[in-house]
């Protein structure tokens, strides 16, 4: 490629095409230009001038793809690689025409690419055809979008359904499709002026709220048709996000309307204003959607829990009854918030429906609390909780009456009653077997009675706590014990001490007399 002072590019020609890595050089050039274009695509949202650079890089990618397709026409390249090069060239050409909004040319290029990938998928086994089918699915939304811009109105419905099923699109189409759907709903929202909920009609003047309410039915239908739990969860999150945005828009309208709302409350004897009632309606949608999402998660956890009980497989973390208890706690909290919505305090039917739903979810929550007690062999507590479940379920059955239609979407309490009765018999049998099992060993707490190891050296028992971090060896801190005080000797003790005789160790004195007295006066010593 030249010398140390100057770069001299060497083109890949058909004559030197002796190794397949020569083709990879051209392919990497095209991929580098395409990836840079995708980066510029994201940056162009805030810097519009980068769109010109984006188009330049796409043209560069198409140029390299043309070179790759020309080289693949050589006899040294197999038929599969030739078709893949043609499909790659058609795809990049379609992307370039798509950005130039040349819908007809882009649609022709995408259709050519799709046809080649479909033929390749049919020519190989299912495992090898997965990548080709995946490419076909990625190209299909682009083709429908081009068809819509050419004039095919039916393509719009197909695009929206594909977006809802997949939870979103990627690539060049994502931004354009979101803008198109928003624009379409905005046109429909222009004709929407009011909404009716629980016998009261309120005007809807906020565009964001209109767009959300128009798309609500489509989102709910897509959730109902979701093929797996992951897609359903993604759609729930998308719907909740849109609902929160709509609620925030209403709150912004509520702030300047505070004085007018207070005046309306005084005149209407407690009746909330239209904007406040609309806020309550949107909050009801948000809480109801959250309840449905948590209920869907609870159902999937119940299935996983049932499969685990049947298979008893070890491995990754398995679901537990405590996980379901947490979900039902959140559902009950959402129901409490529903009863406190402004404007619905006097709605007896609404309060009755929420009360029945609360009993249903309390029954299921109580059931899984009992299940958690069964796992730790607390038979009496579990039996009491099973009775409480039956009490809640019977209250729901007796109080349903005219509200049966509102309870259709909830879990059937009759199935719960049947399951609880079966669990009660199983629990009683397990409790009897547990009490009569002679081979059952005592628990460590019963064996050692809380005594440390230093106090039970003479007793043998299997204590797993000895190899844990909570091992009990001695009492610490040690307990207090009475001990005698340290004796103190004062001068008073000297009167009671008998000293040993020291006469044999003291020098004997001479007898005293006149002579000794005189010697002592004059200082003479004996």
């Amino acid at each position: 490629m030249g010398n140390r002072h100057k770069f001299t590019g060497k083109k890949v020609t058909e004559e030197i095409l002796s190794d397949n890595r020569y083709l990879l050089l051209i392919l990497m050039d095209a991929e580098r230009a395409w990836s840079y274009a995708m980066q510029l695509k994201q940056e162009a949202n805030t810097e519009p001038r980068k769109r010109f650079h984006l188009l330049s890089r796409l043209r560069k990618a198409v140029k390299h793809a043309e070179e790759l397709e020309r080289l693949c026409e050589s006899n040294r390249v197999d038929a599969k690689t030739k078709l893949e090069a043609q499909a790659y060239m058609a795809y990049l050409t379609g992307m370039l025409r798509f950005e130039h909004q040349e819908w007809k040319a882009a649609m022709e290029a995408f259709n050519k690419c799709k046809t080649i990938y479909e033929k390749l998928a049919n020519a190989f086994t299912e495992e090898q055809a997965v990548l080709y089918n995946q490419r076909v699915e990625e190209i299909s939304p682009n083709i429908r979008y081009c068809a819509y811009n050419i004039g095919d109105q039916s393509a719009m419905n197909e695009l929206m359904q594909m977006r809802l099923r997949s939870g979103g699109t990627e690539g060049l189409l994502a931004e354009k499709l979101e803008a198109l759907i928003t624009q379409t709903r905005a046109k429909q929202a222009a004709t929407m002026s009011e909404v009716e909920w629980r016998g009261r009609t309120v005007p809807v003047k906020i565009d964001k709220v209109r767009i959300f309410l128009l798309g609500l039915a489509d989102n709910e239908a897509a959730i109902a048709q979701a093929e797996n739990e992951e897609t359903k969860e993604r759609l729930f999150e998308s719907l909740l996000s849109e609902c929160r945005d709509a609620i925030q828009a209403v709150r912004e309208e509520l702030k300047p309307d505070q004085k007018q709302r207070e005046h309306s409350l005084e005149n209407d004897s407690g009746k909330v204003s239209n904007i406040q009632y609309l806020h309550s309606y949107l909050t009801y949608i948000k809480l109801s959607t959250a309840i449905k999402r948590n209920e869907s998660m609870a159902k999937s956890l119940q299935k996983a829990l049932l499969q685990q009980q049947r298979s008893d497989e070890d491995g990754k973390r398995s679901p537990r009854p405590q996980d379901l208890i947490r979900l039902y706690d959140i559902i009950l909290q959402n129901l409490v918030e529903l009863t406190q919505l402004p404007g619905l305090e006097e709605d007896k039917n609404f309060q009755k429906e929420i009360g029945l739903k609360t009993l249903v979810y309390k029954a299921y929550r109580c059931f899984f609390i009992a299940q958690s007690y069964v796992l730790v062999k607390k038979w009496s507590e579990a039996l009491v909780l099973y009775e409480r479940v039956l009490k809640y379920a019977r209250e729901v059955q007796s109080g349903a009456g005219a509200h049966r239609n509102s309870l259709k979407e909830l879990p059937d309490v009759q199935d719960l009653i049947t399951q609880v009765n079966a669990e009660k018999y199983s629990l009683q049998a397990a409790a009897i077997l547990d009490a009569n099992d002679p081979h059952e060993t005592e628990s460590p707490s019963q064996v050692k009675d809380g005594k440390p190891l230093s106090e039970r050296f003479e007793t043998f028992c299997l204590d797993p706590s000895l190899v844990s971090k909570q091992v009990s060896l001695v009492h610490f801190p040690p307990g207090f014990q009475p001990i005698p005080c340290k004796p103190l000797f004062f001068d008073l003790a000297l009167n009671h001490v008998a000293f040993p005789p020291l006469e044999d160790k003291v020098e004997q004195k001479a007898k005293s007399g006149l002579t000794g007295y005189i010697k002592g006066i004059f200082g003479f010593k004996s």
Side-chain angles (χ1 to χ4, degrees):
M1 304 296 284
N3 52 41
R4 64 194 313 183
H5 302 292
K6 182 180 180 182
F7 170 78
T8 305
K10 183 183 264 188
K11 290 186 177 182
V12 179
T13 61
E14 187 176 347
E15 288 75 19
I16 67 173
L17 197 63
S18 59
D19 193 329
N20 58 1
R21 288 178 293 180
Y22 285 113
L23 296 177
L24 294 181
L25 290 173
I26 309 299
L27 178 62
M28 287 301 105
D29 286 337
E31 286 292 296
R32 182 176 59 181
W34 172 84
S35 59
Y36 192 11
M38 294 301 99
Q39 177 185 343
L40 293 170
K41 176 68 176 178
Q42 297 177 352
E43 297 174 355
N45 294 329
T46 56
E47 302 177 54
R49 289 292 303 173
K50 290 193 174 182
R51 177 170 172 76
F52 297 101
H53 196 183
L54 158 69
L55 297 174
S56 174
R57 298 312 300 173
L58 277 179
R59 282 192 291 268
K60 194 73 172 178
V62 171
K63 181 179 179 182
H64 289 302
E66 289 176 350
E67 181 68 15
L68 178 64
E69 183 184 11
R70 185 185 64 79
L71 288 174
C72 288
E73 293 177 356
S74 172
N75 296 329
R76 301 177 182 180
V77 180
D78 58 7
K80 175 186 173 183
T81 307
K82 290 180 179 179
L83 288 174
E84 288 180 345
Q86 293 175 10
Y88 186 68
M89 168 61 188
Y91 178 71
L92 291 180
T93 302
M95 293 176 67
L96 178 61
R97 300 305 177 195
F98 193 95
E99 278 299 310
H100 281 291
Q101 297 186 3
E102 299 175 3
W103 308 118
K104 188 174 181 180
M107 185 175 178
E108 291 176 356
F110 284 135
N111 276 325
K112 179 181 177 181
C113 178
K114 180 182 177 182
T115 302
I116 294 173
Y117 282 132
E118 286 176 344
K119 290 181 178 180
L120 287 171
N122 295 330
F124 295 96
T125 61
E126 293 183 1
E127 295 181 358
Q128 296 174 329
V130 172
L131 292 176
Y132 297 124
N133 290 327
Q134 183 179 355
R135 294 292 293 162
V136 170
E137 293 177 1
E138 292 175 359
I139 296 170
S140 296
N142 295 346
I143 296 175
R144 288 181 173 84
Y145 188 84
C146 294
Y148 171 78
N149 284 280
I150 291 174
D152 186 0
Q153 297 297 326
S154 63
M156 180 59 190
N157 294 330
E158 295 179 5
L159 281 171
M160 295 182 68
Q161 290 299 324
M162 292 177 63
R163 169 184 172 271
L164 292 173
R165 285 196 300 268
S166 62
T169 53
E170 300 178 355
L172 295 175
L173 182 62
E175 182 183 351
K176 295 181 180 295
L177 182 55
E178 291 297 329
L180 175 62
I181 292 175
T182 303
Q183 180 182 1
T184 304
R185 287 179 177 172
K187 292 179 180 178
Q188 297 174 352
T191 61
M192 180 182 180
S193 58
E194 59 187 16
V195 64
E196 182 179 355
W197 181 55
R198 303 204 67 84
R200 178 174 173 178
T201 303
V202 293
V204 182
K205 300 179 181 179
I206 306 173
D207 292 338
K208 184 174 289 187
V209 178
R210 290 177 178 176
I211 294 172
F212 167 72
L213 293 176
L214 282 172
L216 180 61
D218 293 336
N219 289 327
E220 291 178 346
I223 291 173
Q225 298 172 4
E227 298 177 354
N228 52 56
E229 294 298 328
E230 184 179 355
T231 302
K232 186 177 292 187
E233 178 67 19
R234 186 166 57 245
L235 291 173
F236 270 124
E237 290 297 332
S238 176
L239 178 57
L240 286 172
S241 177
E242 293 179 8
C243 187
R244 283 191 287 266
D245 293 341
I247 291 174
Q248 183 61 33
V250 174
R251 284 176 182 168
E252 293 175 358
E253 291 291 328
L254 274 173
K255 294 177 182 178
D257 195 48
Q258 184 68 28
K259 295 182 179 180
Q260 181 180 357
R261 184 160 55 90
E262 293 176 356
H263 181 69
S264 177
L265 286 172
E266 295 175 359
N267 294 339
D268 298 343
S269 301
K271 186 178 181 181
V272 299
S273 63
N274 288 332
I275 189 69
Q276 180 64 50
Y277 195 76
L278 180 61
H279 182 271
S280 297
Y281 176 48
L282 294 175
T283 307
Y284 169 80
I285 294 174
K286 185 189 76 171
L287 293 174
S288 300
T289 304
I291 290 172
K292 291 178 181 177
R293 181 193 62 182
N294 290 326
E295 186 180 350
S296 174
M297 294 172 63
K299 288 181 179 179
S300 62
L301 281 176
Q302 289 180 38
K303 292 179 181 178
L305 193 62
L306 185 60
Q307 292 175 357
Q308 175 198 353
Q309 293 173 355
R310 290 176 178 176
S311 60
D312 294 332
E313 293 181 356
D314 297 331
K316 63 179 181 179
R317 183 187 179 277
S318 56
R320 303 172 300 170
Q322 289 84 343
D323 301 331
L324 288 158
I325 295 170
R326 175 59 181 162
L327 288 175
Y328 284 114
D329 281 335
I330 298 173
I331 290 175
L332 290 173
Q333 180 61 35
N334 291 334
L335 290 172
V336 171
E337 295 179 15
L338 282 174
T339 59
Q340 299 172 354
L341 290 177
L344 299 175
E345 298 88 347
E346 304 299 327
D347 193 336
K348 302 299 181 183
N349 290 331
F350 179 79
Q351 299 294 336
K352 180 67 174 178
E353 291 177 6
I354 299 299
L356 290 173
K357 292 180 180 180
T358 301
L359 287 176
V360 172
Y361 290 116
K362 276 186 176 181
Y364 274 89
R365 176 179 175 273
C366 193
F367 174 77
F368 288 107
I369 294 176
Q371 293 281 71
S372 65
Y373 276 115
V374 169
L375 293 177
V376 294
K377 297 185 178 181
K378 293 187 177 181
W379 314 116
S380 58
E381 291 89 342
L383 186 59
V384 172
L385 288 169
Y386 280 142
E387 293 294 338
R388 180 64 62 87
V389 173
L390 294 176
K391 175 178 174 292
Y392 286 142
R394 293 189 184 103
E395 288 181 8
V396 172
Q397 288 181 334
S398 62
H403 301 281
R404 293 188 182 276
N405 292 331
S406 61
L407 300 178
K408 284 183 177 179
E409 298 180 356
L410 298 180
D412 190 3
V413 293
Q414 184 59 44
D415 295 340
L416 183 62
I417 292 174
T418 305
Q419 188 175 0
V420 167
N421 289 329
E423 291 289 341
K424 282 175 59 180
Y425 296 131
S426 176
L427 183 148
Q428 291 171 355
I432 294 172
L433 292 173
D434 185 62
N436 296 334
D437 189 358
H439 302 288
E440 185 179 358
T441 59
E442 291 180 285
S443 65
S445 61
Q446 292 174 338
V447 171
K448 66 184 183 181
D449 292 329
K451 293 182 180 180
L453 182 63
S454 60
E455 297 181 5
R456 50 187 175 90
F457 283 134
E458 304 299 328
T459 304
F460 173 76
C461 66
L462 295 176
D463 189 0
S465 65
L466 293 177
V467 294
S468 66
K469 294 182 179 180
Q470 305 296 330
V471 60
S472 177
L473 300 178
V474 295
H475 284 298
F476 186 83
F480 292 100
Q481 295 181 0
I483 59 173
C485 295
K486 181 179 180 181
L488 299 177
F489 291 93
F490 299 99
D491 290 344
L492 298 175
L494 187 62
N495 299 329
H496 304 280
V497 176
F499 289 96
L502 301 175
E503 296 175 355
D504 57 334
K505 297 182 180 181
V506 177
E507 184 180 358
Q508 297 293 330
K509 292 184 179 181
K511 294 181 178 180
S512 61
L514 180 60
T515 305
Y517 177 74
I518 294 173
K519 289 180 179 180
I521 293 175
F522 291 101
F524 294 104
K525 295 181 180 179
S526 57

